[in-house]
Amino acid sequence: MKQNKEARGPLQARISTLTLAALAALGTLPAQAQEAAAAAGETVQLAPVTVTATRRAESLQQVPVAVSVVSGEQLEQANRNTLGALAAQVPTVNFRTGASNKDTSLFVRGVGTISTSPGVEPTVSTVIDGVVLARPGQATLDLLDVQRVEVLRGSQGTLFGKNASAGVINIVTKAPSSVTEGYLDVSHFTAGNENRVRAGVSGEIAPGLRASVNALVGRFDGNVTNVFNGDKVNGYDKKGLRAKLEWQANPTLKFTLAADTVNSQDDIPTGVVTRTQLIAYPSGTVTSFPAFAAALAPVVASDDNRQINANLKTQVNDRNRGVSLTGEAKLGDHTFTSITAWRAWNNTQLQDGDRLAAPAAGLPQSHDRGTVDFRQWSQEFRVASPRGETLDYVAGVYYLHTRDVETYRRDVRRLGAGGALFNDFGVANFGSTLDSLAGFGEARWHLTPSVHGILGLRWTDDRLNFNHARTRSVPDAQFNGAVPGVNPDVSQSGSTQQKGSSGRTGLQWDLSPTASTYLTWSRGYKGPAFNVFFNMLPRDTLALKPETSTSVEAGLKSEWLDRRLRLNLAVFDTQYSNYQANFFDLVSGSVVTRLINAGEVASRGAELDAAFKATSQWSVGALLAYTRARIEQFNCPAGAATSCQVNGKPLPFAPDWKTAVNTNYRFALTGGWQADTGLEFTWQSKTQYDIGQFADTIQGAYGLWNASFAVSQPTQGWRVALLAKNLGDRSYASFLGRGGAYVNRWVPRDDQRYFGINVRKDF
């Protein structure tokens, strides 16, 4: 891993030659393949893709929205089981991991929100079967029984509303089948002893009544070693269940009851130390911390370090569960939809904040324990007009109520004069409630058979409240009344109410039966926020202003060569005002991060989604994203702990270039068996992980190769696959963070080469 090394040379040298070759191949159908298909009388075409990006089922090629689609089957076969893993397959998506699910964030087109505060909503919305997840930590559930994942890029505030100002991850799970069927899926992977078992059954249990049940058990020991006790960490232990009951009461009325629960225990460490020195920005001054390096021994900091030395096992116990009832009724030509949902998220985290095996002189021990008890209730009513009329539309109302209750305790142990140990602590109880009401609608006016006008509007009323109280112990006099990392006692609360609007307007022009283009202008809205956290101070009680965005996007959806080649293009320019972001500040002599209205940022770029079906056996896919996400005007907080000279600098988790290329070849074997070979390459340019623009939080450009080989017998339902991940054995960081005396990285699952086997039996 080369964190500070930029990719050299012009654009041609920075994009993988494999990417260029694949894109060139997509542009020209090989004459031999075309002739062979014609001789065999084949009808070789790409399969049509249906999405619900406009809140009803439509062809991907007809919706005037930039959408990337990944099937559940693709995710399962590639051992990608979380939204974090989705970032490797969809270049416009990035994911911030952390030791706790509270610390995770999704980014689309370089924009996302990094905060653990219960008083702020994410910028990228996660939606499961029409139900919005209000907190980013809820989006870490395992992707079980998924039909497809739609990534809607850019502001989707009109139809999806809450937390959708940068994009939407729309997860659609499978519907129960009409015939009885089942499956058993078992996987084993090396480099950490990862084992996963999935099983499910689906079918009709009575006339008009269908049901499905799917279960998951998974365990991964981890790929990081704690030298303190020899344990493996950075793994997980998960158990999940998803069930659906679908009742077709009559030809015009259908109800779907869905329930899911996932329990997980992760032991992701609070970073693995890569450096025991810090590089100041913008001066470049290097400060070393030999005392910390000595206390870290026998662990030696390095870019590809996979060892820690900690006397507390960082772990997170997480429980996600929910129930939803969806009703669909046809009244005349109109379709009415109701979605009633309840979801709960419980999270308990233990974190080793000092990253050492024992306190040392000037290096106090810090152990944290936090709990989250979160509930949300939502109700949506929606009506969709019939298709084929001069005007078609979707309109509705939406209500969301959330309640968050959290407790966070920090225990600090210090080494005093003469070797005496002193114990101090701080405890904070805090939480928030939100009531959000919205009305929305979007219409398409078919001006001519090929020209369509688009107009949508959403009005939102947000009412946000918070409470916070913190107490701490009284430290020994020799420490002058201070406790590292714990601010003085405080009790505070606040509330705010804001009304906002979002919307979209534009034109769509069908160039031919297989090609259409669109031009849209949209406004995004993200509600007010409070910076509610353990060390919150009175100055944090002021509400942050809502974050708004304006975006212009042009797109082309096209299919060529008798629907063998699909090329979808999008270019965009989005401006954000009152961008809500974390920045560094000084509090009681310690550097902390505070949520602020950081100012004006912009995201501009272009995206290509391409797929090519050369023959019935051979297919190629390529996705390429250029995203220039930059800070345009930064609002420097008074007394900031670091430099505010960040105008023109990149936003965190926003590489300029990112691509994913894959190819698959299928051929017949004897006895009805068939084989599939797959090869995938993903690449991204250098990535800055910190808005403070430090040189030591930059991950250099890197690429990963993955391969697979599978044999299957479709008539008997067998499939056996061998997988190879990170064939080049490339170490990298999925996140780099700075502490007071070190830089640490988060070690991804595929930080080293590993292999696996997957066996599936369909019944």
Side-chain angles (χ1 to χ4, degrees), residues 264-275:
S264 65
Q265 184 179 85
D266 302 331
D267 51 18
I268 302 171
T270 50
V272 176
V273 177
T274 65
R275 298 171 184 264

Side-chain angles (χ1 to χ4, degrees), residues 279-285 642-646 649 692-695:
I279 304 174
Y281 175 81
S283 68
T285 302
T642 58
S643 171
C644 289
Q645 299 178 31
V646 296
K649 299 297 183 179
Q693 306 302 318
F694 303 106

